Amino acid sequence: MPRIIFDIETVGVDFTTLDPTSQESLLRYAQTDEEEKELKSQLGFSPLTGEIVAIGILNPDTDRGAVYFQAPDSPALAAREESNVQYTPVPNEKELLRQFWQVMSHYDQFVTFNGRAFDGPYLIIRSAIRKIKPTVNLMPNRYYDTHIDLLDRLTFFGAVRRKMNLHMWCKAFGIESPKDKGVTGDDVAQLFKDKRYEDIARYCYDDVRATKELFFAWDKYINIK
C-alpha cells in the first residue's frame, strides 16, 4: 500500500481586513487586552481566518520528500533538491493545493500527527474555498488504516486524556524534535511576514521527518497487526 506522511503550516489573515461583523464575532468572549491579542494571533488555526503557506510530504518507504511552499513576490526563488527533499516555491495558496492533491492521488494511506483534527480538515476546507476538489479522502472512518493519525493512535482514540504535542512525544521516544532548531509553529506567521519562506519550508519538513520516526516507533512497538 503506497503511503505518505504530510503536514501543513498556516498563517492567519490580518485582523483589520475582516468585516466588522466577523471581528465582533471573534472578539465576543475576549475580556482583556491580553485575550484579544491572543485571539488575533490564533487566526491561522481556522481555515476560515487563515491559509496554508507550506505543505510537507514524505514517503516513509523511500525516504524521499518534498515541500511546496508559498513564496509570493519572490520570482527569483527556484525549486531545488536537498538531501532527497524537493523544495518547490509557488506563488499562492491555490497552486500549493493544486500540486498537493496531484501528488496525493498516487497514495492509498496517509500518516499524520493530529492530522484528523487539524491538517486534513484544513486542507479540505481551504481547497473548497479555492475551488479545488480533493483527489483522495483524507477523512475516512477514524478506525480505518487509510489515515493513521498518530496522536489518535498514541492516545488510543481518546482514552488518554493528556494528549501532548509532537515535541513531547519526540522527546519521550528519543527523536529529534523540529523545535530543537529554535523554530516553532508560533514563529511561522512572523517568518512569512519577513519573507523567510525557505525557513518555513525547512521547519515544515522537519515536522514530517519527526512524524516519520514516531510512526516507525508506533508501528514497531505498539501497533498490533
Side-chain angles (χ1 to χ4, degrees):
M1 177 184 293
R3 53 190 183 178
I4 195 80
I5 298 166
F6 69 88
D7 180 76
I8 67 173
E9 302 300 334
T10 66
V11 300
V13 300
D14 183 341
F15 184 80
T16 62
T17 64
L18 297 172
D19 66 274
T21 302
S22 295
Q23 292 184 17
E24 181 182 356
S25 177
L26 289 167
L27 295 177
R28 183 174 303 167
Y29 300 107
Q31 301 296 318
T32 65
D33 291 342
E34 289 75 16
E35 290 178 350
E36 181 175 325
K37 182 179 179 180
E38 182 179 8
L39 186 145
K40 291 178 180 179
S41 71
Q42 296 178 345
L43 295 178
F45 292 153
S46 170
L48 304 185
T49 55
E51 65 176 308
I52 301 168
V53 295
I55 306 175
I57 59 175
L58 174 61
N59 184 321
D61 301 307
T62 65
D63 207 34
R64 292 190 63 84
V67 183
Y68 306 96
F69 62 100
Q70 281 200 56
D73 305 319
S74 298
L77 202 58
R80 70 174 186 279
E81 184 168 331
E82 296 179 4
S83 304
N84 288 335
V85 185
Q86 181 73 28
Y87 291 93
T88 304
V90 297
N92 52 54
E93 185 187 43
K94 185 169 185 175
E95 180 61 18
L96 186 77
L97 291 165
R98 188 190 69 78
Q99 294 206 29
F100 169 75
W101 290 115
Q102 184 177 17
V103 171
M104 296 300 274
S105 66
H106 301 290
Y107 295 91
D108 299 321
Q109 186 180 65
F110 315 105
V111 180
T112 63
F113 184 89
N114 200 33
R116 287 188 56 83
F118 185 71
D119 306 69
Y122 209 112
L123 282 158
I124 294 167
I125 297 301
R126 290 307 301 173
S127 296
I129 289 171
R130 296 300 185 189
K131 307 293 191 293
I132 296 174
K133 189 174 180 64
T135 57
V136 294
N137 181 12
L138 298 181
M139 298 297 293
N141 186 299
R142 72 185 299 195
Y143 302 107
Y144 293 174
D145 285 338
T146 306
H147 182 166
I148 296 177
D149 180 344
L150 289 174
L151 185 58
D152 231 8
R153 302 303 174 108
L154 290 166
T155 57
F156 303 94
F157 300 105
V160 178
R161 300 182 67 180
R162 291 293 299 276
K163 293 186 175 183
M164 300 300 184
N165 58 22
L166 179 60
H167 174 79
M168 295 292 291
W169 283 102
C170 286
K171 287 300 182 181
F173 279 86
I175 298 167
E176 182 182 10
S177 167
K179 294 176 176 56
D180 288 341
K181 297 181 179 180
V183 177
T184 72
D186 294 335
D187 300 318
V188 171
Q190 188 60 50
L191 290 173
F192 194 73
K193 288 181 181 178
D194 294 341
K195 299 185 178 182
R196 293 171 59 183
Y197 307 125
E198 290 179 298
D199 288 342
I200 296 173
R202 290 191 181 92
Y203 171 70
C204 186
Y205 187 74
D206 285 341
D207 268 353
V208 293
R209 175 201 51 77
T211 302
K212 181 198 76 171
E213 297 301 328
L214 188 60
F215 170 62
F216 283 166
W218 169 81
D219 194 39
K220 183 174 182 179
Y221 299 110
I222 300 176
N223 186 27
I224 304 298
K225 300 176 182 178

